[in-house]
């Protein structure tokens, strides 16, 4: 069975979040913010734990503080990923240490 969602603990409950709903994930001290199409979830976790539970062909680390859903990337300009969805626009940095691997992941997606 292929897993199509991430199970996270937020607001004292377990919440299934579909991979297709996730736009990006951002580190926030000991927490991560999972930004989705409909909102956001804040959960106690490390970026490494979240990264390990995501499919590597659909998500890539772009910065030590960001993981991006490759399907949601609109374009890359310089060292920034631009995601445009309806009236929302997100600009996410690409760290030097992650640039080569991120671009390879984007090409493979």
């Amino acid at each position: 069975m292929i897993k199509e969602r991430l199970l996270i603990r937020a607001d004292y409950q377990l919440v299934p979040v579909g991979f297709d709903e996730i736009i990006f994930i951002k580190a926030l001290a000991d927490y991560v913010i999972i930004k989705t199409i409909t909102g956001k979830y804040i959960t106690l976790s490390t970026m490494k734990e979240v990264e390990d539970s995501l499919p590597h062909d659909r998500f890539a680390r772009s910065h030590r503080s960001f993981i991006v859903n490759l399907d949601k990337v609109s374009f890359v300009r310089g060292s920034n990923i631009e995601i445009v969805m309806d009236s929302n626009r997100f600009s996410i940095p690409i760290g030097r240490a992650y640039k080569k691997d991120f671009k390879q992941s984007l090409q493979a997606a």
Side-chain angles (χ1 to χ4, degrees):
M1 183 171 133
I2 298 173
K3 188 173 121 180
E4 288 295 320
R5 63 185 183 187
L6 183 63
L7 195 60
I8 61 166
R9 184 172 299 279
D11 298 325
Y12 304 103
Q13 57 191 351
L14 286 175
V15 181
V17 179
F19 293 145
D20 291 340
E21 294 176 51
I22 299 171
I23 301 170
F24 63 85
I25 299 162
K26 180 180 179 180
L28 178 69
D30 293 335
Y31 294 85
V32 293
I33 299 171
I34 300 171
K35 178 65 178 139
T36 67
I37 295 168
T38 57
K40 70 179 178 182
Y41 299 95
I42 300 173
T43 186
L44 181 62
S45 184
T46 66
M47 288 294 276
K48 180 70 175 147
E49 289 170 345
V50 173
E51 185 177 24
D52 289 345
S53 60
L54 294 168
H56 298 293
D57 60 329
R58 295 173 68 182
F59 291 86
R61 190 93 175 247
S62 67
H63 186 275
R64 75 183 168 96
S65 298
F66 287 93
I67 299 171
V68 178
N69 184 337
L70 296 170
D71 292 337
K72 306 296 185 201
V73 174
S74 299
F75 57 92
V76 175
R77 179 182 295 148
S79 291
N80 285 311
I81 300 159
E82 301 295 328
I83 299 173
V84 181
M85 301 185 72
D86 300 323
S87 61
N88 295 316
R89 183 182 189 120
F90 305 100
S91 185
I92 297 166
I94 303 173
R96 277 190 300 220
Y98 297 91
K99 194 168 204 160
K100 181 180 175 189
D101 289 341
F102 178 78
K103 288 190 176 182
Q104 287 176 345
S105 296
L106 192 58
Q107 287 177 336

